[in-house]
Every structure is written in structure tokens, then in C-alpha cells.
Amino acid sequence: MPGYSLIDAPWWHLAFVILAGALPTHIWRWLGVAFGTRLDEDSETMRWVRAVATALVAAVVARLVLYPQGMLAEVPALLRLVALLGGFAAYLTLGRKVIVGVLVGEALLLAAMLWTLP
Amino acid sequence: MPVPPASAGRWFLRGARGVVSVPTAILLAAMVGFAGLARESGISMELAAVMTALIWALPSQVVLVGAIAAGASMGATILAITLCSVRLLPMVVALLPTLRGENTPRWQLYGLSTFVAVTAWVVAMAELPKLPREARVPWFAGFALALVVLNTLMTIIAYALIGGLPDMLAAALFFLTPLYFTCSLWGAARANLERFAFVAGFALLPAMHALDPTLDLVFAGIIGGTATWGFDRLRRRRGGL
């Protein structure tokens, strides 16, 4: 049963964003204040939490690149992957600046688009 | 040291001016990608703006839009968002000792923690130590509020304009989000644990997507993260690297 279209009304869409989007995000920020210094960042639980959270965001990246919506879907998947990895490689090797990774990745994507699209 | 009442307001304004920075510019550009994604997924402009203003974490926003587009259930959506935003907890814990003054009331910390996300955190961790203690809470409040307002406006403007953009430019803007996530999360990683987890989550996604496109993120996150944590633990026990 899709959650968003459960009730087809603007008030429900807003409620869905708050209940399924905002609260599950804010809860961690508030817990951070509540537990504060009592949390040991290197405990096994916190290590597991960090690993799962990072893996999930990496999966978000993979989904955006491998199963995109809109115009990006017109570019072959392999070229999208090469553009992402190229940007990341530039980030790693050229001083670890986010702006460098973003610009190189974008330049590779533009080159791929000019090459493949009419 | 006693603080004259006028100076908190001045630090607040200084913080607001602090949004003029490279990390902010990259985030704003990534927000354009988010607006495009929301539009392509059939989400209204109002709702896209509300997401930026109320959720204030780009990964959560992108996951939420994906869940709506895929027709995911309420439970699956909450699970995916809860898991992807859990990294905000250690970020808040790490920021608090730098942010709080001697007598900062708890409600202010709860309020300010609501604005902690990757960009605000990176800037705050770099800038706050340069400021006197009593200036930090008002500075961060000004900075965080200005950042949220600016990005909400950006979501609206980008949503309205992106339909008229050339296809190639729109595609390039979509691509900003994955590039931004990859570089900024790699930079925020504290140890190899997170770096291996990143590779594992990325590599697992295609198989999980074939299995179930509404739960793919949750599966890839839990399996990839748990496996990485397990190997890391084994390696530490053996006294390796």
C-alpha cells in the first residue's frame, strides 16, 4: 500500500512529508542533544550505525546514477558511472576538495552527453 | 564574561552573512538537482519547498522523493529515512562541545540541532572555534537560518525554471546531487569503516534494486553496512590494520 497516495489530498501529502520525512530525520538530531556526551562514538553499536547509514547514502548515490529519472536517463549508464568515478577520482587526487570533484564529474558528464546525444 | 544584549544580534547577523561560502554554493547547486528530481517525480512546487524547509537534509529529501515515485509504503519510507539520517546523531554529538556556551539553555540546543546537516556541520566545525564562546550560539543560529531560507527559495526558483532549461543543462543539474553526496560524505568519514561501507552500499544497490525497487535502499544499507561492520570488527579483533 503506497504511503503517499494513501489519501489523495494536499493535507495528507503534507502530513506524509512530516511523518515519514521530517520526524524520522529530526529524531536523530534531538537524540544527539539528549544523549550528548554520554554516547561513545566508538562503541560497537555506534560503529554499526555509522556503517549502515553510510552504506544507505551510498545506495542513494548508486540509485541516482544507475536508475535516474528525466534527461539523465538518456545518457548511457556506463558513461554516467564513468563520470561519477572520474569526478570522485579527481576529488581524491586533487586535494580532496568537493568543488573539484563536482566540476570534473560535471565536465565528464557534459562530454558524454555531447558525444552520445544528437 | 558579561555579554552586552546588543552583541548577540550582531553575531546572529554575522552568522547569516557567513552563508556566502563555497560549501553553500555547492549545496545550492545540489538543491537545483533536488528541485528537478521532485518535479520529474510529480511532486508539487509547494511540497518540494516544504521538504527543504522542514526536513533539511538532502539525503532524506532525495530518499523521500524516490519513495513517493516508487509508491513505497509508509513503513518502508519511514525505515529508509530513519536509517539514512542516523548519521546526523554522531554529527550533533561532535558539534555540541564546540557550539554550546557555559549557560546555553537546553531548548536552544534542541532548536539549533534541528539545522545540523552535512553543509552546516562542515562550516560550523571550521568556523565556530575561531569565535568567542558566547558568540557561537547566535552565530550558528544566524548561519543555519539563512542557509535554510536561501535553500528553500532556491528550491522554489529552480523548480519554476528547470522546465524551461535545455535538456542537457537539466541533466547536468540532476547529476550534481550524487557527485556532492559522494565527495562530501567521503570527506566527512571518520575512518575506513565508513569508506568501505560507502563502497559496499553502492555495489549492492543494483542487485537490491532488482529484488525490490521500493526497499532497495534499506536492503543495501543494512546488508552492506552490517557486512562492513562485521569485517571491520573481525579485523580489529585480530589486531590487524
Side-chain angles (χ1 to χ4, degrees), chain B residues 184-204:
Chain B
S184 61
L185 277 173
W186 198 268
R190 291 179 57 244
N192 277 336
L193 174 71
E194 279 109 325
R195 297 187 187 110
F196 287 129
F198 193 94
V199 175
F202 190 99
L204 274 172

Side-chain angles (χ1 to χ4, degrees), chain A residues 60-68 72 77 80-81 84, chain B residues 175 178 202:
Chain A
V60 173
V61 170
R63 189 154 88 176
L64 288 172
V65 172
L66 299 176
Y67 311 98
L72 207 49
R80 295 192 300 256
L81 198 57
L84 180 82
Chain B
F175 206 61
F202 190 99

Side-chain angles (χ1 to χ4, degrees), chain B residues 44-189:
Chain B
S44 71
M45 181 202 278
E46 292 81 4
L47 208 61
V50 163
M51 284 183 190
T52 301
L54 293 189
I55 300 176
W56 190 235
L58 203 47
S60 291
Q61 291 168 235
V62 172
V63 170
L64 185 63
V65 168
I68 291 171
S73 72
M74 184 110 183
T77 311
I78 292 177
L79 187 59
I81 304 236
T82 307
L83 286 175
C84 87
S85 43
V86 77
R87 88 218 117 74
L88 295 170
L89 187 149
M91 285 166 65
V92 168
V93 172
L95 181 66
L96 281 183
T98 315
L99 176 65
R100 74 193 323 166
E102 249 173 84
N103 300 310
T104 307
R106 245 180 144 61
W107 66 267
Q108 287 189 0
L109 294 178
Y110 277 105
L112 290 180
S113 75
T114 306
F115 299 104
V116 171
V118 172
T119 302
W121 187 82
V122 167
V123 174
M125 290 298 267
E127 296 300 318
L128 288 180
K130 299 179 198 161
L131 303 175
R133 274 256 161 222
E134 69 275 11
R136 293 179 188 180
V137 164
W139 190 93
F140 185 71
F143 173 76
L145 272 177
L147 196 60
V148 172
V149 170
L150 202 60
N151 277 283
T152 305
L153 289 176
M154 187 53 137
T155 308
I156 295 170
I157 294 167
Y159 190 106
L161 295 183
I162 209 164
L165 290 180
D167 287 2
M168 228 178 252
L169 188 56
L173 289 171
F174 287 142
F175 206 61
L176 281 168
T177 311
L179 279 170
Y180 175 66
F181 281 178
T182 303
C183 298
S184 61
L185 277 173
W186 198 268

Side-chain angles (χ1 to χ4, degrees), chain A residues 29 34-35 39 44 47 72 99:
Chain A
R29 295 167 166 147
F35 289 110
L39 275 176
E44 289 304 332
R47 280 175 169 275
L72 207 49
I99 186 81

Side-chain angles (χ1 to χ4, degrees), chain A:
Chain A
M1 181 59 122
Y4 179 74
S5 47
L6 208 58
I7 303 165
D8 191 25
W11 70 265
W12 170 249
H13 295 163
L14 177 63
F16 184 78
V17 165
I18 293 171
L19 293 175
L23 288 180
T25 305
H26 289 312
I27 188 80
W28 297 116
R29 295 167 166 147
W30 297 330
L31 282 175
V33 179
F35 289 110
T37 48
R38 276 174 291 160
L39 275 176
D40 175 11
E41 267 199 75
D42 284 319
S43 70
E44 289 304 332
T45 316
M46 288 299 286
R47 280 175 169 275
W48 179 79
V49 156
R50 272 159 45 203
V52 169
T54 309
L56 201 144
V57 177
V60 173
V61 170
R63 189 154 88 176
L64 288 172
V65 172
L66 299 176
Y67 311 98
Q69 286 166 320
M71 328 298 176
L72 207 49
E74 312 284 319
V75 182
L78 184 64
L79 292 179
R80 295 192 300 256
L81 198 57
V82 167
L84 180 82
L85 293 177
F88 182 51
Y91 163 79
L92 286 181
T93 51
L94 302 173
R96 302 223 165 187
K97 296 204 186 314
V98 175
I99 186 81
V100 173
V102 167
L103 290 179
V104 171
E106 285 289 345
L108 288 170
L109 182 80
L110 282 174
M113 285 192 288
L114 289 171
W115 184 41
T116 54
L117 301 182

